[in-house]
Amino acid sequence: MERIEKLLTDPLYRLYLKKNEAWEQKRLFCKHDPDHFWHTARVAYILYLEGGKEGVHLGDNAKEMIYAAALLHDIGRFCEYEDQALDHAAQSAILARPLLLKAGFPAIEAEMVCEAIANHREPGHADLSRLLYAAD
């Protein structure tokens, strides 16, 4: 998963991880860190493979799209800590878009991933959003 490797090594992605970590130093459980992101990715992909979310069709790049969405879904959590009026899901989607494009995701896939990220806290959405919600 070449594009996922590019995401993980992107300096901005690493910066966002550090910002989340700084805000959550005293948080004992449920940190928004790489462990959480990887667990969410694996569960979402298992759900996809098992067909647990009927009607979810992501095409040939499903695995990379699922992993990208999970690895980025809480990347903007620090934004909500800095300004409680902001929604971390929406901020994560905003931060994710340039990272996805830089990693080589086509605009249509980046849009699907960002939509899933923006909606990952709400049930009832379609496709990738549903997988991410269930896994998170």
Side-chain angles (χ1 to χ4, degrees):
M1 292 193 300
E2 186 177 316
R3 297 182 297 181
I4 297 303
E5 184 63 30
K6 287 180 181 179
L7 280 176
L8 296 173
T9 58
D10 189 287
L12 274 179
Y13 181 77
R14 308 299 300 166
L15 175 65
Y16 301 150
L17 289 177
K18 287 180 182 178
K19 287 184 174 196
N20 281 347
E21 181 182 7
W23 277 99
E24 294 186 339
Q25 283 180 349
K26 294 181 182 177
R27 191 172 178 160
L28 297 178
F29 302 105
C30 303
K31 293 185 178 190
H32 300 92
D33 61 7
D35 283 342
H36 170 63
F37 298 163
W38 282 108
H39 293 311
T40 302
R42 290 179 186 117
V43 170
Y45 191 57
I46 289 167
L47 289 172
Y48 181 75
L49 291 175
E50 292 182 350
K53 296 295 170 193
E54 293 80 16
V56 176
H57 304 288
L58 300 175
D60 293 338
N61 295 321
K63 186 174 184 179
E64 277 191 310
M65 290 174 61
I66 290 167
Y67 271 72
L71 293 169
L72 294 166
H73 80 283
D74 284 333
I75 202 69
R77 185 69 176 175
F78 71 91
C79 299
E80 192 171 306
Y81 287 126
E82 291 174 357
D83 181 348
Q84 304 243 328
L86 297 175
D87 173 57
H88 84 271
Q91 295 302 307
S92 294
I94 291 167
L95 296 175
R97 185 175 315 284
L99 294 172
L100 290 161
L101 295 172
K102 185 176 175 187
F105 284 84
I108 190 140
E109 288 181 5
E111 181 60 34
M112 289 173 66
V113 170
C114 289
E115 181 181 332
I117 292 168
N119 296 317
H120 83 267
R121 296 181 55 197
E122 303 170 16
H125 290 279
D127 293 338
L128 187 52
S129 298
R130 270 197 298 167
L131 285 174
L132 194 55
Y133 173 80
D136 192 33

